[in-house]
Amino acid sequence: MSGQKHAAVLPVEGRPWEEIRRSLLDAKRGDYNWREGRLPLYVYYDDEALLKVSREAFNLYFSENALGRKAFPSLVQLEADIVSMALRLFNAGDEAGGTFTSGGTESQLLAVKAARNRALAERPDLAQPNIVVPHSCHPSIDKAAHYLGLEVRRVPISDTFRADPAAIAKAVDDNTIMLVASAPGYTHGVFDPVAELGVLAEARGLWLHVDACLGGFLAPFARMEGYPLPDFDFSVPGVTSLAADIHKYGFSAKGASVLLLRSETLRRFQQFEHRNWPRGVYATDTFLGSRPGGPAASAWAVMNYLGEAGYRRIARRIMSAKQRLMAGIESIPGLEVIQPSELSVLLYRSWDAALDTNALAEGMGARGWFMGRSVEPEAIHFAMNPVHAPVIDRYVADLRAVSIEVRESGRVGALDESTY
Ligand SMILES: *Cc1c(COP(=O)(O)O)cnc(C)c1O
């Protein structure tokens, strides 16, 4: 692992595991410490006990391959159970169906693919199908459209960062096949008006997909705890599909999400089936072929381990940590939290010309805090996790100290547009 290009070579003789293990752990030394709450995204962590369940379950199914449905009925059952638990959580009826996928991007890709194939089946003359989405929509939809040869129309959002149903309606034309709403969006953490978009989707015969990838496994439990959130799932007429990541606030190992369909009959538009090769029928519902068994085992285990009570406890912890962080930020002269902040995401910035937001982010970065950045509006982006609860006081103390340094030096930072 040197700086030279393609410096690594396959060793002629294998190396001993102990040495390899040390190298792997050493390689992490430059990483941000997620266990100490230094990351505002990427890793979802509650405690060691939950991590142990997730990891041990993963390892129990480490070698199995979910492509082999006949060989591994165990995985078929685990995935069916996960989908069933998720369908109930999102108020789907008995006629609904769903698929366990490798993550939000795959769930979104499959939703777009199914919407496209349904549209083409109903309207074979459709020349250039398009998808209409709010500007805040996650780029996985554009990625899917890019792969599938579709156009995406991004429509400006309201001053509360939500989809604007009137503007969306105006962008819809005869070639539109699909609308997407976020619940909540990653960019500003707010819920799009799913009910109003549902009315529009029904009136125009469009597929309405709800992207609940981020908050799908948090919002229902925050609601049970009394936090007021709008309806966003299959209880809303017009919602056709919903994606929710278990590897975010579901706390499973990465590689776990679900795509849910209001009606099982829609699944035929999602499927791929091929016969013209020497091995008979090859049929899958997912983008991947060979699929690891670990993520499904982890997701199944974590959902059963936490149960509703565990997820509610985590939701309380996240929401109260967010309140404390917001109060801490607001107590620092010149800083403001951008409203609304509905679930786990908060944005904040300086309103004071003498205190530059980008310099503040750079100063916090130098103190070991990985800083998420929002470009529109220019702000610092933070997605709360239970792991942040114990470090909020330290975060706020550092933020206060850095804000004094930045004011005194008059430093101006640069906007870092690329978090990834
Ligand atoms: C994370 C996320 C996605 C994409 O999911 P991956 O798991 O990163 O592939 C899609 N939409 C939203 C709102 C997300 O937060």
Side-chain angles (χ1 to χ4, degrees):
M1 294 177 205
S2 85
Q4 198 191 331
K5 200 177 173 199
H6 308 315
V9 289
L10 186 68
V12 176
E13 299 292 339
R15 295 159 59 196
W17 163 238
E18 255 321 304
E19 184 192 316
I20 293 167
R21 185 174 181 278
R22 262 198 312 278
S23 303
L24 287 171
L25 293 174
D26 281 353
K28 292 193 193 191
R29 271 193 314 216
D31 292 356
Y32 285 79
N33 191 334
W34 49 268
R35 246 196 196 91
E36 288 178 8
R38 295 291 180 157
L39 283 173
L41 75 171
Y42 297 136
V43 180
Y44 295 77
Y45 173 72
D46 186 41
D47 62 15
E48 288 302 303
L50 179 58
L51 181 61
K52 180 168 186 274
V53 170
S54 176
R55 177 186 280 151
E56 290 193 2
F58 190 103
N59 283 337
L60 289 176
Y61 281 77
F62 187 85
S63 299
E64 281 74 9
N65 186 340
L67 175 63
R69 300 180 71 80
K70 284 186 185 159
F72 304 112
S74 57
L75 281 170
V76 174
Q77 188 60 49
L78 294 182
E79 292 187 0
D81 289 352
I82 292 165
V83 165
S84 169
M85 287 188 271
L87 287 171
R88 285 168 184 276
L89 194 59
F90 299 115
N91 296 301
D94 289 343
E95 66 293 346
T99 308
F100 182 80
T101 76
S102 63
T105 300
E106 187 181 9
S107 294
Q108 304 266 91
L109 176 81
L110 293 172
V112 173
K113 192 263 185 202
R116 183 198 65 172
N117 281 38
R118 182 180 77 167
L120 290 175
E122 288 172 353
R123 296 185 275 162
D125 52 326
L126 205 54
Q128 182 47 261
N130 69 64
I131 305 171
V132 177
V133 306
H135 183 54
S136 50
C137 177
H138 191 275
S140 48
I141 294 295
D142 302 68
K143 190 176 190 176
H146 172 74
Y147 288 162
L148 294 166
L150 305 171
E151 176 197 347
V152 176
R153 298 184 175 171
R154 284 190 173 252
V155 175
I157 50 179
S158 75
D159 54 8
T160 55
F161 310 114
R162 292 177 223 278
D164 172 351
I168 299 261
K170 235 188 253 163
V172 169
D173 66 15
D174 290 344
N175 290 322
T176 302
I177 60 167
M178 184 183 205
L179 305 178
V180 180
S182 306
Y186 181 70
T187 49
H188 309 101
V190 300
F191 286 71
D192 286 329
V194 177
E196 284 171 80
L197 294 172
V199 171
L200 174 63
E202 286 198 317
R204 300 291 303 252
L206 303 172
W207 184 298
L208 172 58
H209 174 67
V210 173
D211 174 2
C213 283
L214 178 67
F217 282 86
L218 176 59
F221 305 106
R223 263 182 129 170
M224 290 176 200
E225 289 298 313
Y227 293 93
L229 298 171
D231 291 338
F232 66 89
D233 60 19
F234 293 107
S235 62
V236 179
V239 170
T240 318
S241 59
L242 181 148
D245 290 353
I246 314 173
H247 66 200
K248 289 179 182 160
Y249 291 106
F251 292 91
S252 74
K254 268 174 273 297
S257 174
V258 284
L259 173 65
L260 308 177
L261 302 171
R262 177 178 286 278
S263 169
E264 181 86 57
T265 59
L266 296 169
R267 187 200 290 268
R268 69 183 188 278
F269 301 118
Q270 179 191 327
Q271 276 166 338
F272 172 78
E273 189 177 303
H274 184 85
R275 288 161 190 273
N276 187 18
W277 76 318
R279 279 290 303 268
V281 180
Y282 178 97
T284 61
D285 291 350
T286 54
F287 178 71
L288 301 187
S290 285
R291 294 190 294 128
S298 166
W300 192 92
V302 166
M303 290 169 88
N304 278 288
Y305 176 76
L306 286 174
E308 190 180 293
Y311 282 116
R312 287 179 69 159
R313 173 183 60 74
I314 288 175
R316 273 200 308 276
R317 192 142 182 250
I318 289 172
M319 296 306 277
S320 69
K322 189 186 78 170
Q323 295 300 337
R324 282 205 292 131
L325 179 57
M326 294 205 313
I329 291 166
E330 298 266 355
S331 76
I332 297 172
L335 296 188
E336 65 176 356
V337 173
I338 297 172
Q339 295 294 346
S341 164
E342 287 187 297
L343 195 59
S344 58
V345 170
L346 73 87
L347 300 183
Y348 68 93
R349 68 181 162 202
S350 162
W351 50 261
D352 183 343
L355 175 59
D356 182 65
T357 303
N358 294 319
L360 199 62
E362 289 170 4
M364 288 294 280
R367 287 175 180 241
W369 300 98
F370 186 92
M371 299 303 279
R373 306 291 276 276
S374 164
V375 178
E376 299 169 30
E378 274 193 36
I380 293 165
H381 183 280
F382 200 110
M384 298 297 303
N385 237 280
V387 71
H388 296 126
V391 299
I392 284 180
D393 291 344
R394 242 167 87 197
Y395 185 92
V396 172
D398 276 355
L399 194 58
R400 193 180 303 278
V402 172
S403 76
I404 293 167
E405 280 165 29
V406 170
R407 268 184 201 282
E408 285 176 353
S409 66
R411 211 165 58 240
V412 173
L415 176 63
D416 178 1
E417 290 198 24
S418 171
T419 304
Y420 301 96

